[in-house]
């Protein structure tokens, strides 16, 4: 593969990160990359034209139908709609998490998916050094109990942007901690598989001006272990950790500070990593998928099962 023609649906912050990273990866691999974008307004992302973006479209009817890849990076509520409308415009799809909102999950199966296409739903925390280390080194059978937490302050997420105007603050746009912080369920499933039973409680407790839940707490029961998960929008000090209590030690994976701690051994492993490092690992893996060198490991059904867990359901 020496040429790729791709289109981004939306040119927000995550799309711009992907565009820059994918451009860098393709340069390294001597792949000629052509990038288009579909936006509601021509001015959005205008500064990217000539530098990264070939052309920005505002009319979906005028979008070409010969893309190698379409990246669906607009708000959650519109992911499924774009996949349905543009299904015949590209061979492969990279879809930002989550796949869709809870109320539209069943619509997922109305699309006639092609066996020859890759439908990959983003799950970047899998590619962090912390989670990769645990995947390769953790003796899952020795784990008795797991405690996960993702706590941070929503108004600090996007500097310079009113958090009340973001999709994160709106249930209708796919916001709320269960959908917005679905990364945790993705990496839990990646490490431990699906639980046998699950309990969930959620709601709004903080004074944040959001039209959605700002906390969710889960207890998941496995045959040989128990997992607790806490999510919130109101923690003033960012915490993103997974603690595993095994029959030999207590191990903490700290995704904010990029480290693994063995408490009984009094041993620590630190990783030198920035966000682009693991985002690039994910894009490289996706590129391997569309080249036929790797299997898609987070497709439509995988993402659907993660959505169910985020809602406190198992099917």
């Amino acid at each position: 593969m020496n040429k790729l023609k791709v289109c981004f649906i939306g040119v927000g912050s995550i799309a711009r990160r992907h565009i820059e990273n994918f451009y860098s990866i393709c340069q390294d691999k001597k792949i000629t990359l052509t990038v288009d974008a579909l936006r509601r307004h021509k001015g959005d992302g205008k500064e990217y034209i000539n530098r990264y973006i070939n052309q920005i479209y505002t009319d979906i009817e005028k979008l070409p139908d010969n893309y190698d890849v379409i990246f669906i990076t607009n708000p959650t509520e519109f992911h499924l709609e774009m996949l349905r409308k543009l299904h015949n415009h590209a061979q492969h799809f990279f879809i930002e998490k989550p796949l869709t909102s809870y109320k539209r999950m069943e619509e997922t199966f109305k699309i006639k998916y092609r066996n020859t296409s890759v439908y990959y739903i983003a799950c970047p925390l899998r590619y962090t050094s912390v989670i990769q280390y645990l995947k390769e080194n953790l003796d899952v059978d020795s784990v008795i109990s797991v405690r996960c937490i993702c706590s941070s302050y929503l108004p600090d997420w996007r500097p310079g942007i009113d958090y009340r105007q973001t999709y994160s603050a709106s249930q209708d746009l796919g916001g709320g901690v269960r959908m917005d912080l679905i990364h945790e369920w993705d990496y839990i499933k990646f490490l431990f598989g699906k639980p046998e039973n699950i309990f969930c409680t959620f709601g709004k407790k903080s004074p944040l001006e959001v039209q959605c839940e700002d906390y969710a707490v889960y207890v998941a029961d496995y045959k040989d272990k128990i997992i607790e998960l806490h999510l919130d929008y109101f923690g003033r000090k960012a915490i993103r950790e997974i603690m595993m209590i095994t029959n030999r030690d207590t191990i903490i994976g700290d995704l904010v500070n990029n480290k693994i701690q063995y408490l009984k051994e009094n041993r620590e492993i630190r990783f030198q990593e920035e966000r682009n490092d693991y985002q690039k690992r994910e894009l490289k893996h996706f590129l391997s998928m569309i080249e036929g060198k790797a299997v898609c490991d987070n497709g439509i059904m995988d993402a659907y099962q993660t959505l169910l867990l985020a809602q406190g359901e198992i099917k």
Side-chain angles (χ1 to χ4, degrees), residues 30-256:
K30 303 296 190 292
I31 296 172
T32 301
L33 180 65
T34 302
V35 179
D36 290 343
L38 177 68
R39 288 292 319 237
R40 286 176 297 175
H41 307 292
K42 194 78 171 180
D44 296 335
K46 189 176 180 179
E47 72 276 15
Y48 265 42
I49 292 182
N50 297 328
R51 185 181 178 193
Y52 294 112
I53 296 177
N54 175 59
Q55 186 168 349
I56 292 182
Y57 295 87
T58 55
D59 184 350
I60 194 171
E61 299 300 327
K62 294 181 179 180
L63 201 68
D65 61 1
N66 62 341
Y67 291 107
D68 296 299
V69 181
I70 285 180
F71 288 78
I72 298 179
T73 52
N74 55 351
T76 298
E77 181 59 19
F78 307 112
H79 288 180
L80 204 59
E81 177 186 350
M82 289 296 100
L83 179 59
R84 184 171 61 247
K85 287 183 176 180
L86 299 174
H87 189 235
N88 293 320
H89 286 250
Q91 179 64 28
H92 306 293
F93 292 86
F94 181 107
I95 306 163
E96 265 304 307
K97 65 82 187 167
L99 171 61
T100 187
S101 61
Y102 175 66
K103 65 183 180 182
R104 302 187 69 178
M105 284 198 299
E106 294 302 325
E107 294 179 41
T108 301
F109 302 106
K110 295 181 180 179
I111 298 172
K112 294 182 179 179
Y113 301 103
R114 298 181 295 266
N115 293 331
T116 56
S117 296
V118 170
Y119 304 91
Y120 176 77
I121 290 74
C123 48
L125 287 195
R126 288 189 185 191
Y127 298 90
T128 60
S129 293
V130 167
I131 298 301
Q132 287 293 306
Y133 174 90
L134 293 175
K135 183 67 173 178
E136 294 171 10
N137 296 279
L138 179 67
D139 178 4
V140 173
D141 292 336
S142 74
V143 178
I144 303 167
S145 178
V146 179
R147 295 178 182 177
C148 296
I149 181 170
C150 182
S151 173
S152 60
Y153 192 53
L154 180 60
D156 291 342
W157 282 22
R158 304 171 179 93
I161 298 176
D162 185 346
Y163 76 93
R164 294 166 294 188
Q165 304 303 315
T166 67
Y167 80 88
S168 295
S170 169
Q171 196 82 47
D172 290 340
L173 293 179
V177 295
R178 288 178 297 162
M179 290 290 96
D180 220 3
L181 302 178
I182 202 169
H183 290 289
E184 267 57 36
W185 269 119
D186 178 78
Y187 80 66
I188 288 171
K189 187 159 65 73
F190 180 60
L191 293 173
F192 304 106
K194 284 172 52 180
E196 294 184 348
N197 294 292
I198 190 169
F199 168 81
C200 173
T201 182
F202 60 91
K204 185 179 183 301
K205 298 294 185 184
S206 79
L208 289 174
E209 296 178 50
V210 295
Q211 306 303 312
C212 57
E213 77 271 6
D214 60 11
Y215 81 90
V217 178
Y218 304 81
V219 177
D221 191 23
Y222 289 70
K223 184 178 180 180
D224 59 349
K225 62 180 61 68
I226 192 78
I227 294 182
E228 305 163 59
L229 172 61
H230 170 99
L231 307 173
D232 75 57
Y233 273 161
F234 45 77
R236 297 308 298 266
K237 175 68 174 177
I239 304 171
R240 201 163 211 167
E241 291 183 350
I242 174 171
M243 174 188 286
M244 292 140 291
I245 302 171
T246 77
N247 54 25
R248 298 185 184 90
D249 208 335
T250 296
I251 307 165
I252 298 177
D254 185 339
L255 286 96
V256 172

Side-chain angles (χ1 to χ4, degrees), residues 233-297:
Y233 273 161
F234 45 77
R236 297 308 298 266
K237 175 68 174 177
I239 304 171
R240 201 163 211 167
E241 291 183 350
I242 174 171
M243 174 188 286
M244 292 140 291
I245 302 171
T246 77
N247 54 25
R248 298 185 184 90
D249 208 335
T250 296
I251 307 165
I252 298 177
D254 185 339
L255 286 96
V256 172
N257 297 298
N258 300 319
K259 64 182 182 180
I260 300 283
Q261 293 173 284
Y262 289 83
L263 301 188
K264 185 175 183 295
E265 287 185 31
N266 193 28
R267 180 165 64 96
E268 183 175 282
I269 301 170
R270 286 188 171 270
F271 305 101
Q272 298 300 316
E273 181 172 68
E274 297 180 354
R275 179 172 176 178
N276 275 348
D277 294 329
Y278 61 83
Q279 297 271 192
K280 281 186 175 181
R281 285 187 205 116
E282 180 173 41
L283 286 171
K284 287 178 182 177
H285 187 53
F286 175 71
L287 186 57
S288 294
M289 293 177 208
I290 66 175
E291 289 176 328
K293 298 176 182 178
V295 176
C296 179
D297 51 8

